[in-house]
């Protein structure tokens, strides 16, 4: 008897357990039953049956049945409370091709929610928006359309399955088994992206192999394009500029050479025959050893326009402005501006210049890139990094929504006028094209992003690409509600923690405007002492310039004068160390250790205390999380607790190693009450990480 009871108990437990593990695979599309008594529609009514409308219906069915715990039917007419999807017969101008309208009303005596759009993709976006609004407690009625046309992920994925700067496992693209293997995960990838409005993806690394443009690889890419198409996602490829030599057997890749031009034209035609809605090319040229037009004495626009011509009105070229050269002795901060600004207005209409958020390289904090204020005649595409190459990989919690917002809200004073925020420049109101790209943090890890909180960075990127003027705080709130629970006892402290988290990381890695202090190659841990790399501007010492007298990079007129690349009014943000935001202080100024900061403390003390504060905050994040235990499933609770433990330990490592090193320069005592580094500077210098992920 007892045995039977045990067996029955085991069965009950099994049935009561969630059908699948809370491993993060469902992202923010979990659709768990809502506690609120709001009556939800019981049917979905749609007239069309296109692949995109089918996807919208399927998502609504999945979402509403999950949220209500009921079966949801699909019908042609309204006979129950319903969601009605309608493509407008007379286009509504304000909605454009991707916008939607959601309205509550009544039809056939039943309450209905009408989702209307000019296009099928608008209906899909509307369906996702409606589900989001239910889950986040927003009112149903809304009208929305994206402010940016190209909202793209950039995968730095290699053909061998590795991911440059990827910390979430291997590449999602199984090039080896494609085109035959069609992983269902590709559809979930598309769903997740469509749910946040992403409408394009560059499949391969900017450090591109020409092979990705060969017929077998195009066939593989075509399968992905077919899978993504119903979700409004077009595919793009990074193009290696020297492909005409490597694949075409030509002697040159000179963009003005007729044979080279013909080769690219034929290649574009071949691509369009396989992928009719191919989006276009992303190009890293003449940067970090990549081939480019300058190898032939030509300019960036010669290269970009040649590819633009090959694509014609079928696609776009996204030409990256991330360029710097060993031969140029000038401050690396200045190089992209010097190379691109003189060519403003000379790019073909289907070219966008893709600019990183800052002039160096995705540092924990960077002032906005001066090009955003300087090329009014060219559509400038924003490039953010979602993967956290310089912010602790996937192991440290740093919510980047707050970072993106900081950059997007900065005023560039383009054309000397106020109100030209980076967001407005990116929205490109004077241009036919506009775009925002995010270097993806996605891989084969079950939770997609390497850690649960890193999903929020993917989410925030998509939402801000849709509306660059959106609020990082609101976006974090939405994400937390959908990904975990709408319970305010969870949402309020967790959103507060997220909003502070990137600041915390900046404090324990690169406080007061310091930058590029990461160790060689992998960029993970501290390496402020590194001074032995081939190029001066690869060395951390180049950036902090610390000696026994002071620290910081003078980018004012007495130094490299990079500051002058900003509009006169924008220069005022950072020109005067006394009045500026000190979080950028040492980015622009070289100051003595005794320099009196706003707190009244000398710079040395301030620096040490900021490191100390960052490390303490990282440790405290664990406590906040511990208090969230009642609101989170055991599996994700534990996973997050363990990454926070790693983060706290490594924040202390950053703090200790940095303080030890800078103290060896300043020769000053630590401010009262601050603990000395745990180990010697030599110990920190001796650490090596040859197998850190993401480094190729
Ligand atoms: C740097 C990365 C490197 C990329 C490069 C780029 O360290 O792996 O190839 O940027 O953006 O941040 O091209």
């Amino acid at each position: 008897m007892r045995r039977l009871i045990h067996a029955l108990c085991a069965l009950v437990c099994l049935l009561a357990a969630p059908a699948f593990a809370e491993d993060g695979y469902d992202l923010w599309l979990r659709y768990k039953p809502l506690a609120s008594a709001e009556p939800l529609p019981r049917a979905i009514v749609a007239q069309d049956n296109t692949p995109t409308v089918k996807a919208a219906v399927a998502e609504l069915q999945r979402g509403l049945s999950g949220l209500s715990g009921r079966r949801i039917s699909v019908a042609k007419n309204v006979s129950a409370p319903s969601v009605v999807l309608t493509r407008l017969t007379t286009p509504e101008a304000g909605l454009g091709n991707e916008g939607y309208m959601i309205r509550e009303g009544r039809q056939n005596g039943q309450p209905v929610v009408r989702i209307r759009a000019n296009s099928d993709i608008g209906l899909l976006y509307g369906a996702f928006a409606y589900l989001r609004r239910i889950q986040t407690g927003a009112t149903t009625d809304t009208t929305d359309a994206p402010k940016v046309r190209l909202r793209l992920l950039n995968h730095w994925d290699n053909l061998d399955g590795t991911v440059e700067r990827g910390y979430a496992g291997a590449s999602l693209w199984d090039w080896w088994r494609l085109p035959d293997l069609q992983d269902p995960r590709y559809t979930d990838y598309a769903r997740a992206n469509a749910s946040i409005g992403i409408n394009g993806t560059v499949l391969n690394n900017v450090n591109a192999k020409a092979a990705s443009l060969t017929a077998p690889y195009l066939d593989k890419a075509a399968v992905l394009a077919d899978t993504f198409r119903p979700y409004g996602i077009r595919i793009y490829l990074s193009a290696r500029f020297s492909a005409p030599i490597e694949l075409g057997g030509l002697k040159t890749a000179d963009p003005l050479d007729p044979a080279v031009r013909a080769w690219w034209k034929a290649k574009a035609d071949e691509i369009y025959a396989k992928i009719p809605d191919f989006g276009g090319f992303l190009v890293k040229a003449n940067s970090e050893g990549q081939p480019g037009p300058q190898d032939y004495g030509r300019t960036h626009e010669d290269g970009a326009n040649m590819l633009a011509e090959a694509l014609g009105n079928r696609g776009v070229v996204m030409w990256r402005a991330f360029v710097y050269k060993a031969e140029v002795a000038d401050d690396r901060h200045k190089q992209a501006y010097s190379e691109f600004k003189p060519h403003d207005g000379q790019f073909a209409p289907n070219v966008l210049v893709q600019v990183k958020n800052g002039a160096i390289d995705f540092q924990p904090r960077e002032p906005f890139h001066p090009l955003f204020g300087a090329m009014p005649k060219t559509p400038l595409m924003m490039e953010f990094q979602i993967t956290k190459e310089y912010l602790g990989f996937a192991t440290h919690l740093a919510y980047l929504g707050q970072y993106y917002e900081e950059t997007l809200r900065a005023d560039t004073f383009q054309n000397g006028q106020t109100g030209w925020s980076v967001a407005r420049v990116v929205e490109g109101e004077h241009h036919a094209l506009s775009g925002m790209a995010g270097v993806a943090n996605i891989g084969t890890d079950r939770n997609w992003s390497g850690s649960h909180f890193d999903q929020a960075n993917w989410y925030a990127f998509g939402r801000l690409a849709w509306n660059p003027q959106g609020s990082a705080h609101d976006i974090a709130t939405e994400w937390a509600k959908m990904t975990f629970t709408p319970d305010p006892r969870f949402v309020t402290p967790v959103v507060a923690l997220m909003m502070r988290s990137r600041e915390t990381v900046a404090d324990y890695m690169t406080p007061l405007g310091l930058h590029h202090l990461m160790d060689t190659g992998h960029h993970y841990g501290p390496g402020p002492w590194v001074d032995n790399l081939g190029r001066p501007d690869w060395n951390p010492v180049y950036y902090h310039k610390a000696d026994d007298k002071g620290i910081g990079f003078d980018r004012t007129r007495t130094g490299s004068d990079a500051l002058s690349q900003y509009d006169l009014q924008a220069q005022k943000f950072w020109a005067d160390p006394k009045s500026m935001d000190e979080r950028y202080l040492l980015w622009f100024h070289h100051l003595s250790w005794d320099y009196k900061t706003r707190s009244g403390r000398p710079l040395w003390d301030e620096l040490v205390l900021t490191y100390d504060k960052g490390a303490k905050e990282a440790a405290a994040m664990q406590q906040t999380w511990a208090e969230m235990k009642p609101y989170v499933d055991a599996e994700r609770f534990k996973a997050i607790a363990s990454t926070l433990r790693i983060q706290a330990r490594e924040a202390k490592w950053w703090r200790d190693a940095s303080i030890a090193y800078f103290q060896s320069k300043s020769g000053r005592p630590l401010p009262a009450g601050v603990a000395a580094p745990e180990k010697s500077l030599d110990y920190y210098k001796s650490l090596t990480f040859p197998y850190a992920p993401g480094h190729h």
Side-chain angles (χ1 to χ4, degrees), residues 156 164-165 206-207 284 288 320 322 356 361-362 389-390 523:
W156 286 0
E164 182 154 338
R165 312 306 178 187
V206 285
N207 296 320
K284 171 174 178 177
E288 299 186 329
R320 294 177 87 226
F322 178 70
K356 286 189 182 182
D361 196 7
F362 303 133
E389 174 181 356
Y390 295 102
H523 295 163

mmCIF file with all atom_site columns, all heavy atoms in Angstrom, residues 156 164-165 206-207 284 288 320 322 356 361-362 389-390 523, ligand 1:
data_model
loop_
_atom_site.group_PDB
_atom_site.id
_atom_site.type_symbol
_atom_site.label_atom_id
_atom_site.label_alt_id
_atom_site.label_comp_id
_atom_site.label_asym_id
_atom_site.label_entity_id
_atom_site.label_seq_id
_atom_site.pdbx_PDB_ins_code
_atom_site.Cartn_x
_atom_site.Cartn_y
_atom_site.Cartn_z
_atom_site.occupancy
_atom_site.B_iso_or_equiv
_atom_site.pdbx_formal_charge
_atom_site.auth_seq_id
_atom_site.auth_comp_id
_atom_site.auth_asym_id
_atom_site.auth_atom_id
_atom_site.pdbx_PDB_model_num
ATOM   1   N N   . TRP A 1 156 ? 28.605 38.028 -35.613 1.00 0.00 ? 156 TRP A N   1
ATOM   2   C CA  . TRP A 1 156 ? 30.025 37.894 -35.929 1.00 0.00 ? 156 TRP A CA  1
ATOM   3   C C   . TRP A 1 156 ? 30.352 36.397 -35.953 1.00 0.00 ? 156 TRP A C   1
ATOM   4   O O   . TRP A 1 156 ? 31.275 35.932 -35.286 1.00 0.00 ? 156 TRP A O   1
ATOM   5   C CB  . TRP A 1 156 ? 30.858 38.656 -34.903 1.00 0.00 ? 156 TRP A CB  1
ATOM   6   C CG  . TRP A 1 156 ? 30.819 40.159 -35.071 1.00 0.00 ? 156 TRP A CG  1
ATOM   7   C CD1 . TRP A 1 156 ? 30.144 40.878 -36.017 1.00 0.00 ? 156 TRP A CD1 1
ATOM   8   C CD2 . TRP A 1 156 ? 31.511 41.132 -34.266 1.00 0.00 ? 156 TRP A CD2 1
ATOM   9   N NE1 . TRP A 1 156 ? 30.351 42.234 -35.849 1.00 0.00 ? 156 TRP A NE1 1
ATOM   10  C CE2 . TRP A 1 156 ? 31.188 42.415 -34.781 1.00 0.00 ? 156 TRP A CE2 1
ATOM   11  C CE3 . TRP A 1 156 ? 32.365 41.050 -33.162 1.00 0.00 ? 156 TRP A CE3 1
ATOM   12  C CZ2 . TRP A 1 156 ? 31.695 43.595 -34.227 1.00 0.00 ? 156 TRP A CZ2 1
ATOM   13  C CZ3 . TRP A 1 156 ? 32.866 42.217 -32.613 1.00 0.00 ? 156 TRP A CZ3 1
ATOM   14  C CH2 . TRP A 1 156 ? 32.540 43.476 -33.149 1.00 0.00 ? 156 TRP A CH2 1
ATOM   15  N N   . GLU A 1 164 ? 33.013 35.173 -33.136 1.00 0.00 ? 164 GLU A N   1
ATOM   16  C CA  . GLU A 1 164 ? 33.959 36.176 -32.634 1.00 0.00 ? 164 GLU A CA  1
ATOM   17  C C   . GLU A 1 164 ? 33.236 37.023 -31.588 1.00 0.00 ? 164 GLU A C   1
ATOM   18  O O   . GLU A 1 164 ? 32.136 37.540 -31.845 1.00 0.00 ? 164 GLU A O   1
ATOM   19  C CB  . GLU A 1 164 ? 34.448 37.046 -33.805 1.00 0.00 ? 164 GLU A CB  1
ATOM   20  C CG  . GLU A 1 164 ? 35.475 38.070 -33.366 1.00 0.00 ? 164 GLU A CG  1
ATOM   21  C CD  . GLU A 1 164 ? 36.415 38.496 -34.490 1.00 0.00 ? 164 GLU A CD  1
ATOM   22  O OE1 . GLU A 1 164 ? 36.574 37.750 -35.468 1.00 0.00 ? 164 GLU A OE1 1
ATOM   23  O OE2 . GLU A 1 164 ? 36.992 39.588 -34.362 1.00 0.00 ? 164 GLU A OE2 1
ATOM   24  N N   . ARG A 1 165 ? 33.837 37.125 -30.427 1.00 0.00 ? 165 ARG A N   1
ATOM   25  C CA  . ARG A 1 165 ? 33.243 37.869 -29.305 1.00 0.00 ? 165 ARG A CA  1
ATOM   26  C C   . ARG A 1 165 ? 31.884 37.303 -28.905 1.00 0.00 ? 165 ARG A C   1
ATOM   27  O O   . ARG A 1 165 ? 30.995 38.052 -28.482 1.00 0.00 ? 165 ARG A O   1
ATOM   28  C CB  . ARG A 1 165 ? 33.123 39.364 -29.618 1.00 0.00 ? 165 ARG A CB  1
ATOM   29  C CG  . ARG A 1 165 ? 34.371 39.987 -30.196 1.00 0.00 ? 165 ARG A CG  1
ATOM   30  C CD  . ARG A 1 165 ? 35.582 39.743 -29.354 1.00 0.00 ? 165 ARG A CD  1
ATOM   31  N NE  . ARG A 1 165 ? 36.792 40.292 -29.927 1.00 0.00 ? 165 ARG A NE  1
ATOM   32  C CZ  . ARG A 1 165 ? 37.999 40.076 -29.412 1.00 0.00 ? 165 ARG A CZ  1
ATOM   33  N NH1 . ARG A 1 165 ? 38.163 39.317 -28.354 1.00 0.00 ? 165 ARG A NH1 1
ATOM   34  N NH2 . ARG A 1 165 ? 39.063 40.609 -29.955 1.00 0.00 ? 165 ARG A NH2 1
ATOM   35  N N   . VAL A 1 206 ? 31.933 40.239 -39.675 1.00 0.00 ? 206 VAL A N   1
ATOM   36  C CA  . VAL A 1 206 ? 32.489 41.349 -40.472 1.00 0.00 ? 206 VAL A CA  1
ATOM   37  C C   . VAL A 1 206 ? 33.913 41.035 -40.933 1.00 0.00 ? 206 VAL A C   1
ATOM   38  O O   . VAL A 1 206 ? 34.349 41.536 -41.971 1.00 0.00 ? 206 VAL A O   1
ATOM   39  C CB  . VAL A 1 206 ? 32.487 42.687 -39.702 1.00 0.00 ? 206 VAL A CB  1
ATOM   40  C CG1 . VAL A 1 206 ? 31.084 43.263 -39.615 1.00 0.00 ? 206 VAL A CG1 1
ATOM   41  C CG2 . VAL A 1 206 ? 33.100 42.546 -38.308 1.00 0.00 ? 206 VAL A CG2 1
ATOM   42  N N   . ASN A 1 207 ? 34.622 40.247 -40.144 1.00 0.00 ? 207 ASN A N   1
ATOM   43  C CA  . ASN A 1 207 ? 35.917 39.736 -40.614 1.00 0.00 ? 207 ASN A CA  1
ATOM   44  C C   . ASN A 1 207 ? 35.563 38.540 -41.492 1.00 0.00 ? 207 ASN A C   1
ATOM   45  O O   . ASN A 1 207 ? 35.632 37.395 -41.081 1.00 0.00 ? 207 ASN A O   1
ATOM   46  C CB  . ASN A 1 207 ? 36.796 39.318 -39.438 1.00 0.00 ? 207 ASN A CB  1
ATOM   47  C CG  . ASN A 1 207 ? 37.138 40.519 -38.562 1.00 0.00 ? 207 ASN A CG  1
ATOM   48  O OD1 . ASN A 1 207 ? 37.407 41.604 -39.066 1.00 0.00 ? 207 ASN A OD1 1
ATOM   49  N ND2 . ASN A 1 207 ? 37.094 40.339 -37.260 1.00 0.00 ? 207 ASN A ND2 1
ATOM   50  N N   . LYS A 1 284 ? 33.405 45.554 -43.790 1.00 0.00 ? 284 LYS A N   1
ATOM   51  C CA  . LYS A 1 284 ? 34.511 46.086 -42.976 1.00 0.00 ? 284 LYS A CA  1
ATOM   52  C C   . LYS A 1 284 ? 35.698 46.160 -43.921 1.00 0.00 ? 284 LYS A C   1
ATOM   53  O O   . LYS A 1 284 ? 36.215 45.129 -44.349 1.00 0.00 ? 284 LYS A O   1
ATOM   54  C CB  . LYS A 1 284 ? 34.796 45.144 -41.813 1.00 0.00 ? 284 LYS A CB  1
ATOM   55  C CG  . LYS A 1 284 ? 36.061 45.476 -41.016 1.00 0.00 ? 284 LYS A CG  1
ATOM   56  C CD  . LYS A 1 284 ? 36.183 44.561 -39.791 1.00 0.00 ? 284 LYS A CD  1
ATOM   57  C CE  . LYS A 1 284 ? 37.452 44.838 -38.998 1.00 0.00 ? 284 LYS A CE  1
ATOM   58  N NZ  . LYS A 1 284 ? 37.537 44.013 -37.781 1.00 0.00 ? 284 LYS A NZ  1
ATOM   59  N N   . GLU A 1 288 ? 41.765 47.010 -39.414 1.00 0.00 ? 288 GLU A N   1
ATOM   60  C CA  . GLU A 1 288 ? 42.346 45.846 -38.739 1.00 0.00 ? 288 GLU A CA  1
ATOM   61  C C   . GLU A 1 288 ? 42.755 44.756 -39.730 1.00 0.00 ? 288 GLU A C   1
ATOM   62  O O   . GLU A 1 288 ? 42.451 43.581 -39.562 1.00 0.00 ? 288 GLU A O   1
ATOM   63  C CB  . GLU A 1 288 ? 41.362 45.287 -37.711 1.00 0.00 ? 288 GLU A CB  1
ATOM   64  C CG  . GLU A 1 288 ? 41.025 46.293 -36.622 1.00 0.00 ? 288 GLU A CG  1
ATOM   65  C CD  . GLU A 1 288 ? 40.157 45.746 -35.496 1.00 0.00 ? 288 GLU A CD  1
ATOM   66  O OE1 . GLU A 1 288 ? 39.339 44.853 -35.764 1.00 0.00 ? 288 GLU A OE1 1
ATOM   67  O OE2 . GLU A 1 288 ? 40.314 46.225 -34.366 1.00 0.00 ? 288 GLU A OE2 1
ATOM   68  N N   . ARG A 1 320 ? 31.161 50.127 -42.965 1.00 0.00 ? 320 ARG A N   1
ATOM   69  C CA  . ARG A 1 320 ? 31.507 50.455 -41.577 1.00 0.00 ? 320 ARG A CA  1
ATOM   70  C C   . ARG A 1 320 ? 32.549 51.575 -41.485 1.00 0.00 ? 320 ARG A C   1
ATOM   71  O O   . ARG A 1 320 ? 33.489 51.626 -42.280 1.00 0.00 ? 320 ARG A O   1
ATOM   72  C CB  . ARG A 1 320 ? 32.020 49.218 -40.844 1.00 0.00 ? 320 ARG A CB  1
ATOM   73  C CG  . ARG A 1 320 ? 30.951 48.173 -40.694 1.00 0.00 ? 320 ARG A CG  1
ATOM   74  C CD  . ARG A 1 320 ? 31.484 46.928 -40.039 1.00 0.00 ? 320 ARG A CD  1
ATOM   75  N NE  . ARG A 1 320 ? 31.460 46.949 -38.599 1.00 0.00 ? 320 ARG A NE  1
ATOM   76  C CZ  . ARG A 1 320 ? 32.469 46.587 -37.827 1.00 0.00 ? 320 ARG A CZ  1
ATOM   77  N NH1 . ARG A 1 320 ? 33.640 46.254 -38.342 1.00 0.00 ? 320 ARG A NH1 1
ATOM   78  N NH2 . ARG A 1 320 ? 32.353 46.581 -36.521 1.00 0.00 ? 320 ARG A NH2 1
ATOM   79  N N   . PHE A 1 322 ? 34.328 51.890 -38.771 1.00 0.00 ? 322 PHE A N   1
ATOM   80  C CA  . PHE A 1 322 ? 35.300 51.467 -37.763 1.00 0.00 ? 322 PHE A CA  1
ATOM   81  C C   . PHE A 1 322 ? 36.635 51.208 -38.456 1.00 0.00 ? 322 PHE A C   1
ATOM   82  O O   . PHE A 1 322 ? 36.952 50.095 -38.850 1.00 0.00 ? 322 PHE A O   1
ATOM   83  C CB  . PHE A 1 322 ? 34.790 50.206 -37.061 1.00 0.00 ? 322 PHE A CB  1
ATOM   84  C CG  . PHE A 1 322 ? 35.735 49.656 -36.033 1.00 0.00 ? 322 PHE A CG  1
ATOM   85  C CD1 . PHE A 1 322 ? 35.963 50.332 -34.849 1.00 0.00 ? 322 PHE A CD1 1
ATOM   86  C CD2 . PHE A 1 322 ? 36.392 48.455 -36.241 1.00 0.00 ? 322 PHE A CD2 1
ATOM   87  C CE1 . PHE A 1 322 ? 36.832 49.818 -33.891 1.00 0.00 ? 322 PHE A CE1 1
ATOM   88  C CE2 . PHE A 1 322 ? 37.272 47.935 -35.293 1.00 0.00 ? 322 PHE A CE2 1
ATOM   89  C CZ  . PHE A 1 322 ? 37.491 48.625 -34.119 1.00 0.00 ? 322 PHE A CZ  1
ATOM   90  N N   . LYS A 1 356 ? 30.091 52.929 -35.044 1.00 0.00 ? 356 LYS A N   1
ATOM   91  C CA  . LYS A 1 356 ? 29.966 52.425 -33.671 1.00 0.00 ? 356 LYS A CA  1
ATOM   92  C C   . LYS A 1 356 ? 29.522 53.554 -32.753 1.00 0.00 ? 356 LYS A C   1
ATOM   93  O O   . LYS A 1 356 ? 29.777 54.731 -33.032 1.00 0.00 ? 356 LYS A O   1
ATOM   94  C CB  . LYS A 1 356 ? 31.302 51.857 -33.178 1.00 0.00 ? 356 LYS A CB  1
ATOM   95  C CG  . LYS A 1 356 ? 31.642 50.507 -33.804 1.00 0.00 ? 356 LYS A CG  1
ATOM   96  C CD  . LYS A 1 356 ? 32.866 49.856 -33.150 1.00 0.00 ? 356 LYS A CD  1
ATOM   97  C CE  . LYS A 1 356 ? 33.182 48.538 -33.839 1.00 0.00 ? 356 LYS A CE  1
ATOM   98  N NZ  . LYS A 1 356 ? 34.331 47.816 -33.247 1.00 0.00 ? 356 LYS A NZ  1
ATOM   99  N N   . ASP A 1 361 ? 35.921 51.792 -29.137 1.00 0.00 ? 361 ASP A N   1
ATOM   100 C CA  . ASP A 1 361 ? 35.479 50.417 -29.400 1.00 0.00 ? 361 ASP A CA  1
ATOM   101 C C   . ASP A 1 361 ? 34.602 49.854 -28.293 1.00 0.00 ? 361 ASP A C   1
ATOM   102 O O   . ASP A 1 361 ? 35.081 49.041 -27.512 1.00 0.00 ? 361 ASP A O   1
ATOM   103 C CB  . ASP A 1 361 ? 36.725 49.529 -29.592 1.00 0.00 ? 361 ASP A CB  1
ATOM   104 C CG  . ASP A 1 361 ? 36.377 48.208 -30.241 1.00 0.00 ? 361 ASP A CG  1
ATOM   105 O OD1 . ASP A 1 361 ? 35.228 48.047 -30.654 1.00 0.00 ? 361 ASP A OD1 1
ATOM   106 O OD2 . ASP A 1 361 ? 37.271 47.353 -30.329 1.00 0.00 ? 361 ASP A OD2 1
ATOM   107 N N   . PHE A 1 362 ? 33.345 50.225 -28.261 1.00 0.00 ? 362 PHE A N   1
ATOM   108 C CA  . PHE A 1 362 ? 32.381 49.589 -27.352 1.00 0.00 ? 362 PHE A CA  1
ATOM   109 C C   . PHE A 1 362 ? 32.857 49.527 -25.896 1.00 0.00 ? 362 PHE A C   1
ATOM   110 O O   . PHE A 1 362 ? 32.652 48.521 -25.201 1.00 0.00 ? 362 PHE A O   1
ATOM   111 C CB  . PHE A 1 362 ? 32.095 48.153 -27.806 1.00 0.00 ? 362 PHE A CB  1
ATOM   112 C CG  . PHE A 1 362 ? 31.573 48.012 -29.209 1.00 0.00 ? 362 PHE A CG  1
ATOM   113 C CD1 . PHE A 1 362 ? 32.117 47.057 -30.072 1.00 0.00 ? 362 PHE A CD1 1
ATOM   114 C CD2 . PHE A 1 362 ? 30.530 48.789 -29.667 1.00 0.00 ? 362 PHE A CD2 1
ATOM   115 C CE1 . PHE A 1 362 ? 31.617 46.888 -31.359 1.00 0.00 ? 362 PHE A CE1 1
ATOM   116 C CE2 . PHE A 1 362 ? 30.018 48.626 -30.956 1.00 0.00 ? 362 PHE A CE2 1
ATOM   117 C CZ  . PHE A 1 362 ? 30.574 47.672 -31.798 1.00 0.00 ? 362 PHE A CZ  1
ATOM   118 N N   . GLU A 1 389 ? 31.654 42.215 -25.108 1.00 0.00 ? 389 GLU A N   1
ATOM   119 C CA  . GLU A 1 389 ? 33.096 42.006 -25.254 1.00 0.00 ? 389 GLU A CA  1
ATOM   120 C C   . GLU A 1 389 ? 33.887 42.713 -24.157 1.00 0.00 ? 389 GLU A C   1
ATOM   121 O O   . GLU A 1 389 ? 34.878 42.190 -23.663 1.00 0.00 ? 389 GLU A O   1
ATOM   122 C CB  . GLU A 1 389 ? 33.531 42.521 -26.635 1.00 0.00 ? 389 GLU A CB  1
ATOM   123 C CG  . GLU A 1 389 ? 35.024 42.494 -26.868 1.00 0.00 ? 389 GLU A CG  1
ATOM   124 C CD  . GLU A 1 389 ? 35.424 43.043 -28.240 1.00 0.00 ? 389 GLU A CD  1
ATOM   125 O OE1 . GLU A 1 389 ? 34.537 43.380 -29.044 1.00 0.00 ? 389 GLU A OE1 1
ATOM   126 O OE2 . GLU A 1 389 ? 36.637 43.127 -28.492 1.00 0.00 ? 389 GLU A OE2 1
ATOM   127 N N   . TYR A 1 390 ? 33.461 43.916 -23.824 1.00 0.00 ? 390 TYR A N   1
ATOM   128 C CA  . TYR A 1 390 ? 34.215 44.728 -22.870 1.00 0.00 ? 390 TYR A CA  1
ATOM   129 C C   . TYR A 1 390 ? 33.468 44.952 -21.555 1.00 0.00 ? 390 TYR A C   1
ATOM   130 O O   . TYR A 1 390 ? 33.839 45.824 -20.789 1.00 0.00 ? 390 TYR A O   1
ATOM   131 C CB  . TYR A 1 390 ? 34.532 46.086 -23.487 1.00 0.00 ? 390 TYR A CB  1
ATOM   132 C CG  . TYR A 1 390 ? 35.463 46.045 -24.682 1.00 0.00 ? 390 TYR A CG  1
ATOM   133 C CD1 . TYR A 1 390 ? 34.975 46.162 -25.975 1.00 0.00 ? 390 TYR A CD1 1
ATOM   134 C CD2 . TYR A 1 390 ? 36.840 45.905 -24.514 1.00 0.00 ? 390 TYR A CD2 1
ATOM   135 C CE1 . TYR A 1 390 ? 35.829 46.150 -27.080 1.00 0.00 ? 390 TYR A CE1 1
ATOM   136 C CE2 . TYR A 1 390 ? 37.699 45.900 -25.600 1.00 0.00 ? 390 TYR A CE2 1
ATOM   137 C CZ  . TYR A 1 390 ? 37.190 46.019 -26.874 1.00 0.00 ? 390 TYR A CZ  1
ATOM   138 O OH  . TYR A 1 390 ? 38.047 46.015 -27.960 1.00 0.00 ? 390 TYR A OH  1
ATOM   139 N N   . HIS A 1 523 ? 40.163 40.435 -23.893 1.00 0.00 ? 523 HIS A N   1
ATOM   140 C CA  . HIS A 1 523 ? 39.451 41.615 -23.396 1.00 0.00 ? 523 HIS A CA  1
ATOM   141 C C   . HIS A 1 523 ? 38.608 41.347 -22.158 1.00 0.00 ? 523 HIS A C   1
ATOM   142 O O   . HIS A 1 523 ? 37.645 42.064 -21.907 1.00 0.00 ? 523 HIS A O   1
ATOM   143 C CB  . HIS A 1 523 ? 38.545 42.219 -24.493 1.00 0.00 ? 523 HIS A CB  1
ATOM   144 C CG  . HIS A 1 523 ? 39.315 42.753 -25.653 1.00 0.00 ? 523 HIS A CG  1
ATOM   145 N ND1 . HIS A 1 523 ? 38.746 43.013 -26.879 1.00 0.00 ? 523 HIS A ND1 1
ATOM   146 C CD2 . HIS A 1 523 ? 40.615 43.083 -25.776 1.00 0.00 ? 523 HIS A CD2 1
ATOM   147 C CE1 . HIS A 1 523 ? 39.652 43.471 -27.717 1.00 0.00 ? 523 HIS A CE1 1
ATOM   148 N NE2 . HIS A 1 523 ? 40.803 43.521 -27.056 1.00 0.00 ? 523 HIS A NE2 1
HETATM 149 C C1  . LIG B 2 .   ? 36.575 44.905 -31.964 1.00 0.00 ? 1   LIG B C1  1
HETATM 150 C C2  . LIG B 2 .   ? 36.686 43.441 -31.761 1.00 0.00 ? 1   LIG B C2  1
HETATM 151 C C3  . LIG B 2 .   ? 37.051 42.679 -33.001 1.00 0.00 ? 1   LIG B C3  1
HETATM 152 C C4  . LIG B 2 .   ? 36.167 43.125 -34.148 1.00 0.00 ? 1   LIG B C4  1
HETATM 153 C C5  . LIG B 2 .   ? 36.270 44.614 -34.334 1.00 0.00 ? 1   LIG B C5  1
HETATM 154 C C6  . LIG B 2 .   ? 35.283 45.161 -35.361 1.00 0.00 ? 1   LIG B C6  1
HETATM 155 O O1  . LIG B 2 .   ? 37.655 43.200 -30.759 1.00 0.00 ? 1   LIG B O1  1
HETATM 156 O O2  . LIG B 2 .   ? 36.908 41.319 -32.722 1.00 0.00 ? 1   LIG B O2  1
HETATM 157 O O3  . LIG B 2 .   ? 36.509 42.473 -35.329 1.00 0.00 ? 1   LIG B O3  1
HETATM 158 O O4  . LIG B 2 .   ? 35.966 45.276 -33.149 1.00 0.00 ? 1   LIG B O4  1
HETATM 159 O O5  . LIG B 2 .   ? 34.277 45.725 -34.928 1.00 0.00 ? 1   LIG B O5  1
HETATM 160 O O6  . LIG B 2 .   ? 35.721 45.349 -30.959 1.00 0.00 ? 1   LIG B O6  1
HETATM 161 O O7  . LIG B 2 .   ? 35.501 45.053 -36.543 1.00 0.00 ? 1   LIG B O7  1
#
